[in-house]
Amino acid sequence: MMQSARTAKQIGAVIRRARRNAGMSQTALGAKIGMRQATISKLERGEPATQLVTLLDALSALGLEIIIDKRGRVVAKDLEDLF
């Protein structure tokens, strides 16, 4: 299922959902990509200063990828309903 995310918090929510669906803890995901549990927690909360490589490693470990597309005209409430 394709999911749209436009903010760091929305990306974090996608990662959290995928991690939980995979039956992984934050600690297990962190171990898989060589990061601490605290780093995964920050990523999932959408905190600033998360390195791009951390995001990409987490997505890869969860079998996800980023697809860049032209931004559609979605009403903010509609986008919130996705999460």
Side-chain angles (χ1 to χ4, degrees):
M1 178 176 140
M2 193 156 155
Q3 300 175 59
S4 294
R6 294 183 175 171
T7 68
K9 287 186 180 196
Q10 290 171 344
I11 291 171
V14 169
I15 290 170
R16 181 181 313 105
R17 190 175 314 110
R19 176 184 56 76
R20 288 178 176 168
N21 287 341
M24 295 177 77
S25 66
Q26 289 179 342
T27 302
L29 177 57
K32 190 169 184 176
I33 65 172
M35 300 286 167
R36 297 179 14 242
Q37 175 275 329
T39 302
I40 302 303
S41 178
K42 289 178 182 181
L43 176 63
E44 290 184 357
R45 288 193 313 265
E47 289 193 10
T50 298
Q51 293 186 8
L52 186 57
V53 69
T54 302
L55 171 63
L56 294 173
D57 287 349
L59 291 173
S60 178
L62 294 167
L64 301 173
E65 65 183 356
I66 294 176
I67 297 174
I68 307 297
D69 196 7
K70 186 174 181 180
R71 185 175 232 175
R73 292 185 176 230
V74 177
V75 178
K77 182 179 178 334
D78 294 339
L79 192 59
E80 288 174 5
D81 289 343
L82 294 174
F83 303 97

